Each structure stands twice: as C-alpha cells, then as structure tokens.
Amino acid sequence: MRIVFMGTPEFAVDTLRKLLSNGYNVVGVVTQPDKAVGRHGSVLQPPAVKQYAQKKGIPVLQPEKMKDPEFLRQLKKWRANLQVVVAFRMLPEVVWSMPKYGTFNVHAALLPQYRGAAPINWAIINGEKKTGVTTFFLDEEIDTGRIICQSEYRIYKTFNVEIVYNALMARGARLCLETLDRIITSNGKPKSIPQEQLLTAGQELHLAPKIFKETCEIDWNNLSAQQVYNFVRGLCPVPVAWTTLLDEKGHENTLKIYKVAVSGISREVPSGTIIIENKKLYIAAKNGELVELLELQMAGKKKMFVKDFLNGCKNLSESRCVRVENSV
C-alpha cells in the first residue's frame, strides 16, 4: 500500500507519526506552503507536518493551488494507492480521485454534525456533551462523504479546546489505523454508510465554519451566562474570546478572557455592566446574569488572574463592556 499523507498543523502530525511507527509505506506528504511570520513577515515558518516529514526523510509537496499542473504531475509520480487527509484543505476531484482506493479524511467531529473547519471549537461553544472523530471518503462536497469509522468522546463541562483537541488528536490517529486496516482487508472496499442515514427526522444540523477574530467577540446582549461560559472555553487558549472595555472617557480597550464561571447571580443591570464585589469581577450577560471572570489579559499586558488584575486597575467600576460594531 503506497500512501500519500496530506495535512498541515500539529493535529495532523500525530496521525502521520502513527502511520510510520506502524510500518505503513508513506511515499510522500502534501502540506500548505511555508507561512510568513515575524514582525515584518520576513521569516518563513514551515508547517508542523513538513517539519516532521523532513526529519523522517519523506518527500514533501507544498502547492499554492491544488489544480496546478506541475503539482498534479508530481503527485501522480508517487503512484499512491490511497491518500489520507488530516486537517488540510478542500481537495478538487482530480486530486481525491487519483488513487485506486480513493482518499479518506480524519475529521474531528461526529459527522454529519459539525462539518467545516473548526469542529472542536463549535462543539464546545454549543455546549455539546460529546464529540468524536470520523473517517470518511472524500467526495464533491465538504465533509459529506460516506462514513467508514467513528469514535465518540465525552466532553466534560470543564473541558476547553486544548483538552479536547489533544484527546481527539490521539483518538484520530488510532481511528486512522483502524480505517486503514478495514480498507486493506476489504481490498479497498470497506463497509461505509451515507451520512444521511445517521440523521434522525427533524434533527438540527450544526456546522463548524472557520473562526475569525470577529467571531471571538462576546455578545453580552444575546448570550446567557452559561452560553458565555461555553463560548469562552470553546475558544481557550486560542484564538481566545474577547470583549471591548469602554472606560469613563469612551476609550476602547481589548480585554481577552481565558476563563470564567457561571456565578448563579442576577442583577437588574444592562448587559455588559461591570460589577466588582468582594474582590471578584463580574460582567452582566443577557437578562442581567452575572459571569465571573477568572483569567484575563488586557491589550499589551500579560495574562493574569483576576485578583492581580483588580490590584492594578483604577476606576474599573466606571467602565463597561460593549459589543462595538466594526471594532475589529
């Protein structure tokens, strides 16, 4: 079995490592181009998958465009029987249909729920109690192909993205091996089922679109305290939830929020109102439900616990948190 592996971030490295340590013949790796980093973008940072592949002596391709003729020519030269995709990008049919046994993807959700680029974040933001990993054959649409294997994972109410990410990274690597075993033993025709068969009548389909900076702004007016709690842990530690702190002079300051708690307290105050009591810091969410802040970071400052934050702040009680349109 000649395998081409496609992936970019650290999440994908664990699966590639598992393939190699179990003796699978990975003949090449496809990943994103190096990313410009640094203050002036003068340093090129190779993707985590590329760094690992080069250490193992595996050839790497980094196409700008997946339909580039030269890339397709080089990909075809690897003569892959199968392609494995983990945390990469949408592939055109000319790529995913190239191998004899097709291409399967390892997706960090229980499809058909949470199709899209950020399934772990959105599952936590929406307060899901379980998620998991799915392997499926690629087809014309995003994350819609026939399902080969699934593995469930419980999300405890204290878990944030980092915890679930690490767990699904390891679980995805194991599920990839199980999927490969099914493909090999069935001569490329493992049992698979259409995603529609997993949907019950009237079931709501949740999507997982890519997250941008503006996505991470807390909407105090429309989120309950519990929803704010889920929102914060669904974005922690990165890309991190934030709000706009408006002081008594009308100056805007960005406040990143890493950890909160549902206080169980309500007050008849406008959403976004800051309340300081007994050395604790609260912000009013929808219907005056108070959210207690535990860890945060002001722009230009280091991340800190609320106790330290309050010791260094003056006139904070005269500030308020608002959702300022186009503030990003």
Side-chain angles (χ1 to χ4, degrees):
M1 180 71 74
R2 296 175 61 84
I3 298 172
V4 166
F5 184 85
M6 300 184 180
T8 299
E10 187 64 35
F11 188 90
V13 173
D14 207 45
T15 301
L16 178 57
R17 183 184 297 113
K18 204 82 170 177
L19 291 176
L20 296 178
S21 65
N22 281 269
Y24 286 97
N25 182 27
V26 179
V27 298
V29 163
V30 181
T31 188
Q32 295 276 42
D34 295 356
K35 185 178 181 180
V37 296
R39 188 170 183 179
H40 302 291
S42 57
V43 179
L44 289 178
Q45 177 70 36
V49 164
K50 177 184 177 180
Q51 296 180 51
Y52 182 76
Q54 289 181 327
K55 288 180 182 178
K56 295 299 181 178
I58 304 173
V60 176
L61 294 177
Q62 296 177 274
E64 291 282 352
K65 297 180 179 180
M66 298 303 292
K67 292 184 179 180
D68 177 74
E70 179 59 22
F71 162 66
L72 295 175
R73 185 186 68 81
Q74 294 184 53
L75 182 63
K76 193 171 184 178
K77 284 178 64 177
W78 282 343
R79 296 182 291 110
N81 307 107
L82 179 71
Q83 292 174 156
V84 177
V85 180
V86 184
F88 191 45
R89 59 198 284 190
M90 186 175 181
L91 302 181
E93 183 175 357
V94 67
V95 173
W96 58 256
S97 65
M98 188 178 293
K100 177 182 178 180
Y101 297 143
T103 302
F104 76 83
N105 186 85
V106 180
H107 186 74
L110 295 175
L111 292 173
Q113 294 293 353
Y114 295 102
R115 295 167 176 165
I120 301 176
N121 301 92
W122 286 109
I124 298 174
I125 289 171
N126 289 337
E128 299 287 359
K129 294 182 179 179
K130 71 176 182 179
T131 183
V133 183
T134 302
T135 55
F136 67 97
F137 283 116
L138 265 63
D139 61 13
E140 294 84 357
E141 302 297 329
I142 298 177
D143 300 334
T144 59
R146 294 177 67 92
I147 290 175
I148 309 167
C149 300
Q150 285 190 323
S151 175
E152 290 189 1
Y153 175 78
R154 182 175 178 181
I155 305 176
Y156 288 90
K157 62 182 180 180
T158 57
F159 284 5
N160 63 13
V161 162
E162 184 175 39
I163 295 172
V164 180
Y165 178 99
N166 290 333
L168 295 189
M169 180 169 60
R171 188 162 296 214
R174 294 194 298 269
L175 196 67
C176 178
L177 297 187
E178 180 182 338
T179 303
L180 279 168
D181 183 60
R182 292 191 186 189
I183 291 173
I184 292 170
T185 56
S186 65
N187 195 28
K189 297 180 179 179
K191 181 181 178 181
S192 60
I193 60 173
Q195 293 190 26
E196 291 72 21
Q197 290 187 12
L198 298 180
L199 282 173
T200 57
Q203 183 179 2
E204 182 181 1
L205 195 62
H206 297 288
L207 298 180
K210 186 175 181 180
I211 289 177
F212 300 94
K213 181 181 178 181
E214 56 267 29
T215 313
C216 303
E217 184 180 9
I218 301 173
D219 186 353
W220 301 104
N221 293 322
N222 295 304
L223 297 181
S224 67
Q226 183 63 51
Q227 288 173 321
V228 171
Y229 173 78
N230 292 336
F231 189 81
V232 170
R233 67 190 180 100
L235 297 169
C236 178
V238 289
V240 73
W242 62 275
T243 189
T244 300
L245 192 66
L246 198 66
D247 64 24
E248 71 280 5
K249 295 181 180 180
H251 298 150
E252 296 177 15
N253 296 283
T254 299
L255 183 69
K256 295 180 178 179
I257 301 177
Y258 290 87
K259 190 174 182 180
V260 299
V262 178
S263 70
I265 305 170
S266 296
R267 296 288 171 81
E268 292 185 6
V269 294
S271 301
T273 299
I274 291 177
I275 297 175
I276 302 174
E277 287 183 354
N278 301 320
K279 298 183 179 180
K280 292 184 178 182
L281 175 60
Y282 304 94
I283 299 179
K286 182 180 178 181
N287 297 326
E289 297 178 0
L290 299 190
V291 176
E292 182 183 356
L293 274 61
L294 301 175
E295 294 181 36
L296 44 76
Q297 181 180 16
M298 284 289 289
K301 304 292 183 180
K302 65 179 182 179
K303 178 182 172 183
M304 64 184 70
F305 294 108
V306 163
K307 181 180 70 173
D308 301 318
F309 176 75
L310 291 176
N311 288 337
C313 286
K314 296 179 179 180
N315 300 323
L316 185 63
S317 59
E318 298 178 18
S319 303
R320 60 192 178 95
C321 288
V322 295
R323 187 179 177 90
V324 180
E325 297 300 325
N326 302 320
S327 62
V328 296

